[in-house]
Amino acid sequence: MLRITCMHMDLNLLIALDALLDERSVGAAADRLHLSQPAMSRTLSRIRRATGDEILVRSGRVMLPTPYAEQIRDEVHQLVTRAQAVLTPTAEVDPATFERTFTIQCNDVIADALLPDLAAALADSAPGVCLRVLGEADTTVDELRRGHIDLQVTDEAPGHADTRSTTVLTDSLAVIGRRDLPHDPSTWEGCAALPHIVISRRGRRHNRIDDLFEARRLHRHVVFTVPTLALALRTMATSDLVTVAPGLLAGRALPPLLRSYPLPGPATAVPAVLAWHARHDRDSGHRWLRTLIADALTAIADAPAPQ
């Protein structure tokens, strides 16, 4: 158990300790808290004096937590989260006068479908709000827990107990391609006979679709991997290439030459999960934005399918 009295440790030190234990780097923790590296080094020295433990020790080019630091890591994070929730104002915001910058992380398929509606809503009701939209990370680092982003829209619920989430839309995978393809992509054989383009920010060729083909003793030929849906659509416009993407969301971006075909077999559900850290639960401004995004995605799900 963490045995640090209020006489020895104030909230700012706990916040710094939380960042140090999460980042395992004085420099990264300093960047996270918008401090200079010398200031964070001095803070680490204060934490060491308060706890009587080194907390982080250098091992070659990296810093490793001590056994005591590993033991208290989760408890420190929970203390910081609870303290921030208690000190967060709960008064409702007035969107017309609200001024704040939020950082949202989502893939380009969701961004293409969501941002036009959000732009219209913000221009109409909350002109002082600025949104920073980031693409999916190249690593598995939990950006919500680290405080680098305010909201995340992904296809699965986060695994941490201190992260909240709600499913705001359920889509189904579809095959996207030209209207005059030489094979019918709504059958497994026809889909396997066509060249494929895989959308992957990390450049991965294999995904869950390949598992579906292999279960039927089929194999698809991947010709391209591209990082965004927009690039995939431009590439397919002049070829027989097809791609697999969420039908509702991708369907809003299709040019006239392309159409959506049902993916063969039983529908493969793809949820859109809105996630945030527990420290924002009582934040009225954050709650207002969560509602705005959830309403926009729900409206997409309820809208008539594009022809």
Side-chain angles (χ1 to χ4, degrees):
M1 296 292 292
L2 182 61
R3 296 183 179 88
I4 303 173
T5 68
C6 292
M7 294 177 59
H8 297 107
M9 184 73 75
D10 62 25
L11 179 58
N12 287 330
L13 285 188
L14 277 175
I15 292 172
L17 177 58
D18 181 42
L20 285 163
L21 294 179
D22 208 25
E23 301 287 354
R24 301 189 180 192
S25 163
V26 172
D31 290 342
R32 174 168 164 176
L33 299 182
H34 308 291
L35 298 174
S36 68
Q37 190 160 332
M40 182 56 75
S41 295
R42 291 192 296 270
T43 300
L44 177 57
S45 296
R46 291 179 60 196
I47 293 171
R48 285 168 169 166
R49 289 194 298 271
T51 61
D53 187 86
E54 286 297 297
I55 302 298
L56 293 174
V57 294
R58 185 161 295 283
S59 177
R61 300 179 63 181
V62 300
M63 299 192 79
L64 299 177
T66 64
Y68 174 72
E70 289 280 17
Q71 178 186 352
I72 66 173
R73 177 182 175 183
D74 288 343
E75 188 176 357
V76 167
H77 187 70
Q78 291 169 12
L79 285 171
V80 170
T81 298
R82 289 199 297 268
Q84 290 174 332
V86 168
L87 297 174
T88 299
T90 58
E92 294 301 319
V93 300
D94 178 6
T97 59
F98 187 37
E99 295 187 359
R100 184 164 164 184
T101 297
F102 293 96
T103 301
I104 304 171
Q105 186 180 61
C106 62
N107 63 39
D108 75 296
V109 178
I110 291 174
D112 284 346
L114 178 62
L115 293 188
D117 293 340
L118 279 186
L122 293 178
D124 181 59
S125 62
V129 172
C130 173
L131 298 184
R132 294 176 64 243
V133 181
L134 305 181
E136 287 182 309
D138 291 329
T139 67
T140 56
V141 171
D142 189 339
E143 303 289 355
L144 286 172
R145 198 172 192 272
R146 296 174 72 189
H148 289 182
I149 60 175
D150 297 295
L151 281 166
Q152 185 180 61
V153 188
T154 181
D155 61 358
E156 59 183 12
H160 289 297
D162 52 4
T163 303
R164 308 288 186 257
S165 65
T166 181
T167 299
V168 291
L169 177 149
T170 300
D171 207 340
S172 295
L173 290 178
V175 183
I176 310 296
R178 287 173 58 94
R179 295 178 178 273
D180 55 352
L181 293 171
H183 304 283
D184 181 4
S186 61
T187 68
W188 287 111
E189 291 76 12
C191 194
L194 293 164
H196 281 243
I197 181 167
V198 173
I199 303 168
S200 170
R201 182 175 175 83
R202 302 181 191 180
R204 293 175 176 170
R205 294 179 58 188
H206 191 285
N207 57 32
R208 73 178 90 175
I209 303 304
D210 295 280
D211 297 334
L212 295 175
F213 278 111
E214 290 168 8
R216 292 157 177 83
R217 298 184 178 182
L218 295 171
H219 176 77
R220 66 172 176 168
H221 177 48
V222 175
V223 178
F224 287 100
T225 66
V226 296
T228 66
L229 172 67
L231 186 53
L233 296 183
R234 288 198 295 272
T235 306
M236 290 187 297
T238 57
S239 69
D240 291 334
L241 283 161
V242 295
T243 193
V244 178
L248 278 175
L249 296 174
R252 295 165 61 93
L254 297 186
L257 286 176
L258 301 180
R259 59 159 288 189
S260 174
Y261 299 84
L263 185 70
T268 304
V270 183
V273 180
L274 182 63
W276 64 96
H277 195 274
R279 62 178 170 270
H280 294 306
D281 273 348
R282 299 177 69 243
D283 182 333
S284 56
H286 197 280
R287 186 168 59 247
W288 167 82
L289 181 63
R290 296 198 302 264
T291 301
L292 189 68
I293 291 175
D295 289 347
L297 287 172
T298 301
I300 290 173
D302 293 341
Q307 298 300 315

